[in-house]
Amino acid sequence: MTSPAPGPSQLRVALLPELIEPDPAGVCAVVDVIRASTTLVELAGSGNPEVWLAADHAAARAAAARLGPGALLGGEEGGLRPEGYDFGNSPREAAAGDFAGRRAIFVTTNGTNALRRWSTARRTFVGALRNRDAVARRLVEEAALGGSLTLVCAGKEGTLALDDVYTAGAIVARLLELRPGIELDETAIVALRVTRAQPDPAAALAESQSAHALVGVGLGDDVPYCAVLDASSAVPELGGGGRLRLLENI
């Protein structure tokens, strides 16, 4: 059972992308803090390339072959960069690169699929801890135009992800500072309380299964990087005037 679209003064949180039906008149931000949304934020800050979101690796590789050697392949499989890919799903790697003027095809286990599901919203942004303030400000601006306001947690392979819930709560907290009168639905209250229970973002993210999985494949340094608050002013957007696109629209 899905939740109905709320009025423009209410903020809701989808603990998984499928738990709320996307609102074509609404605005949302998709969160996959470890790591797709953080990596997309860092790509936007490293030249803001055109990024095409693929549904799976087979589609990504086929598109790269059609587009020729100028197209970059990016993403992860089991946390690691797949063989033949130009970059992985590491925000530290994205931050160190120069992607200006490039076109990339990007696919991850959870984040890109959540973005694809919520692509039908009026505006679909990418949220993370590193761009918490910037994405909250964009959401406030867009919510003033009407429609629902939703934070979408990508989750981890169909289950709730602590790191995403914590990040959604951090964005809820910033939205309350920017717009004190906003009404929270019950899941937004839950996310906010999760965040308030642990004031240290790095410690909170380190407790998540997503973090443990990265440590297991030798990429644990990405976790504290994802936990830094307000380090970026970039707010990637899917469709509209943004640089993110769905691969089938190429």
Side-chain angles (χ1 to χ4, degrees):
M1 181 177 178
T2 57
S3 300
S9 62
Q10 185 184 59
L11 169 63
R12 57 188 184 168
V13 170
L15 298 178
L16 289 172
E18 299 81 13
L19 293 182
I20 296 179
E21 195 66 26
D23 176 13
V27 58
C28 70
V30 173
V31 172
D32 182 18
V33 68
I34 303 178
R35 296 169 292 169
S37 64
T38 307
T39 297
L40 289 170
V41 167
E42 294 305 286
L43 284 172
S46 297
N48 199 22
E50 190 174 51
V51 178
W52 298 87
L53 303 180
D56 53 48
H57 291 287
R61 289 188 171 99
R66 292 197 307 270
L67 292 173
L72 301 175
L73 264 176
E76 56 85 20
E77 198 165 31
L80 299 173
R81 180 198 303 188
E83 183 176 353
Y85 275 44
D86 298 288
F87 63 97
N89 184 25
S90 169
R92 293 181 298 124
E93 182 181 4
D98 182 3
F99 294 88
R102 304 302 301 268
R103 169 181 279 189
I105 302 162
F106 190 63
V107 58
T108 67
T109 305
N110 303 298
T112 50
N113 288 331
L115 280 163
R116 293 173 65 83
R117 172 169 169 76
W118 279 79
S119 64
T120 56
R122 176 169 58 83
R123 304 294 291 270
T124 302
F125 299 113
V126 175
L129 290 174
R130 293 185 70 88
N131 75 337
R132 178 194 62 155
D133 176 70
V135 75
R137 291 180 182 278
R138 289 298 301 274
L139 290 170
V140 166
E141 292 171 4
E142 288 300 323
L145 302 177
S148 62
L149 174 57
T150 312
L151 299 175
V152 182
C153 300
K156 182 172 175 58
E157 299 174 5
T159 63
L160 184 144
L162 171 63
D163 45 306
D164 291 344
V165 177
Y166 182 90
T167 300
I171 298 172
V172 170
R174 186 65 185 123
L175 285 166
L176 285 172
E177 293 173 349
L178 295 169
R179 188 173 166 184
I182 195 168
E183 178 188 351
L184 307 183
D185 78 350
E186 288 195 354
T187 49
I189 294 170
V190 168
L192 181 62
R193 291 191 176 183
V194 168
T195 303
R196 287 176 172 171
Q198 173 53 275
D200 181 352
L205 265 57
E207 295 176 345
S208 69
Q209 290 186 10
S210 301
H212 293 164
L214 281 184
V215 171
V217 296
L219 293 171
D221 286 346
D222 277 353
V223 177
Y225 191 92
C226 292
V228 176
L229 289 174
D230 304 334
S232 175
S233 61
V235 183
E237 181 180 358
L238 177 60
R243 299 283 286 171
L244 304 183
R245 297 284 187 272
L246 296 180
L247 184 58
E248 55 264 34
N249 296 333
I250 197 168

